[in-house]
Amino acid sequence: MTTSTTATSSGLLVLRLGVGTIMAVHGTQKLFGWFDGGGLDGTDRFFTASGYPSGRMFPLLAALSETLGGIGLILGLLTPLAAAAILGTMINAISVKWGAFLGQNGVEYEVLLAVAAASLALTGAGGFALDRFLPGLRDYKLSYGIAAIALAFVAAGITLLIRN
């Protein structure tokens, strides 16, 4: 790796570790109730109150998207799909929480996570990632990121259409 490539890969590693950790923690709050989370029961109540159909499907989908997407980013494994999982979840979170951009009820945090996920989808994981060992992702292409972002928007859109 050249110095410039090493610097870029280092920056992407820091971004992946930060966003991935935040999302994995949020996901495990929903999934297992860890870190003072509500677990699937609490997440189900929140989702039902937010207009999603009752049942475990949507809370489980959000919890798994955040947990597995976060772990994928941390490892740099299947980065386009990990980023798409986080982006789709954040699009839903923004739509549920929307009221103002800034402030106590603002969505700036969710927007920042969505932008970071989209950026990682477009750039790929960098050199310090397990994707380097996967033949299809070793030579990252912009089209992978664009497809991942499109997938996130389609999945989030379908989910939002189901929501009341």
Side-chain angles (χ1 to χ4, degrees):
M1 273 194 230
T2 66
T3 302
S4 142
T5 305
T6 302
T8 300
S9 290
S10 298
L12 290 170
L13 174 63
V14 170
L15 182 60
R16 286 188 0 251
L17 290 175
V19 174
T21 301
I22 289 168
M23 294 310 302
V25 167
H26 276 275
T28 58
Q29 284 181 308
K30 291 175 179 69
L31 197 57
F32 305 118
W34 295 354
F35 308 105
D36 295 322
L40 283 175
D41 290 336
T43 304
D44 183 36
R45 286 189 296 276
F46 173 78
F47 273 57
T48 300
S50 298
Y52 292 91
S54 184
R56 292 282 170 132
M57 185 180 80
F58 287 106
L60 184 60
L61 181 62
L64 289 173
S65 294
E66 290 180 4
T67 303
L68 297 177
I71 291 169
L73 287 186
I74 289 167
L75 298 174
L77 179 63
L78 303 174
T79 302
L81 292 177
I86 291 169
L87 178 58
T89 303
M90 288 300 99
I91 291 168
N92 271 270
I94 290 165
S95 111
V96 166
K97 191 176 173 186
W98 188 261
F101 183 74
L102 296 172
Q104 186 174 353
N105 296 319
V107 294
E108 71 273 9
Y109 176 67
E110 292 82 2
V111 169
L112 179 61
L113 289 170
V115 168
S119 296
L120 287 167
L122 293 171
T123 61
F128 305 124
L130 293 179
D131 283 349
R132 285 189 58 207
F133 303 104
L134 299 177
L137 294 174
R138 186 176 306 134
D139 298 319
Y140 201 78
K141 295 177 178 51
L142 178 62
S143 60
Y144 300 164
I146 292 170
I149 290 170
L151 173 65
F153 273 92
V154 168
I158 290 169
T159 304
L160 289 170
L161 286 174
I162 294 169
R163 180 177 167 240
N164 293 335

